[in-house]
Amino acid sequence: MANIIRISKNFALSEMTKSATAERLGVDNTPSSIHLVNLTHLAIHILQPVRDQFGVITINSGYRSPALNAKVGGSKTSQHCNGQAADFESFSTPNPDLAKWIANNLEFDQLILEFYDGVNPNSGWVHCSYNLMGNRKKIMTALKTKSGVQYKNGFVKIGRASCRERV
């Protein structure tokens, strides 16, 4: 049986590096020791408190090597490449409520409610980052538009539902 490397009480390193794209394309997604430090702090300061509050959360994307990030079309400045960001969701809590709780209760660098459609409470996901060198507490909403992805500052009203107010 392989050793499980825990980076917090309820999170394993393997959850933060798993990628079907990397496996399918044979892309190395092994974090360096600096990335491991960042991933550990992300888990301790963001993911574990969210888990403690809401129960099980699913990590959709954690660490991405630069090669993997390029394959998935990520931003060249993505904090995923530094081990500082994760995309996640809780199927027991609507994503806007999850994001608002993080905004009101945790120290973070960037918090983005991504691709929430305003109808399905579990649509989209939450992107959150943590930076050991200092956190900006920047909040945004990412929307899919006909011309591509649009980022708006704060939580914005979407469709019939909303994140209730701008933070």
Side-chain angles (χ1 to χ4, degrees), residues 68-90:
L68 176 59
N69 192 59
K71 295 287 186 191
V72 299
S75 164
K76 291 181 181 176
T77 60
S78 174
Q79 288 181 289
H80 287 278
C81 297
N82 300 324
Q84 296 173 322
D87 298 338
F88 54 93
E89 55 193 313
S90 166

Side-chain angles (χ1 to χ4, degrees), residues 42-54:
L42 175 67
I44 291 169
H45 295 285
I46 303 295
L47 302 174
Q48 191 63 52
V50 170
R51 166 81 196 269
D52 292 345
Q53 181 69 24
F54 297 103

Side-chain angles (χ1 to χ4, degrees), residues 54 90-100 113 116 120-122 126:
F54 297 103
S90 166
F91 293 104
S92 68
T93 304
N95 286 321
D97 295 344
L98 185 65
K100 187 174 178 192
L113 179 60
Y116 172 64
N120 178 352
N122 291 324
V126 175

Side-chain angles (χ1 to χ4, degrees), residues 84-161:
Q84 296 173 322
D87 298 338
F88 54 93
E89 55 193 313
S90 166
F91 293 104
S92 68
T93 304
N95 286 321
D97 295 344
L98 185 65
K100 187 174 178 192
W101 184 86
I102 293 167
N104 291 329
N105 293 282
L106 301 179
E107 189 67 26
F108 58 89
D109 188 53
Q110 192 173 60
L111 175 62
I112 308 172
L113 179 60
E114 295 195 274
F115 311 123
Y116 172 64
D117 67 10
V119 177
N120 178 352
N122 291 324
S123 62
W125 58 85
V126 175
H127 166 99
C128 194
S129 64
Y130 184 85
N131 188 338
L132 281 169
M133 303 309 289
N135 291 297
R136 300 172 286 169
K137 289 200 89 157
K138 183 174 185 175
I139 298 172
M140 300 172 69
T141 302
L143 305 168
K144 287 182 184 175
T145 68
K146 291 178 183 176
S147 58
V149 178
Q150 183 179 45
Y151 290 89
K152 297 195 176 244
N153 287 323
F155 295 137
V156 298
K157 184 173 181 172
I158 303 165
R160 292 178 284 157

Side-chain angles (χ1 to χ4, degrees), residues 22-33:
E23 290 172 14
R24 187 175 68 254
L25 299 176
V27 176
D28 183 17
N29 198 42
T30 305
S32 71
S33 58

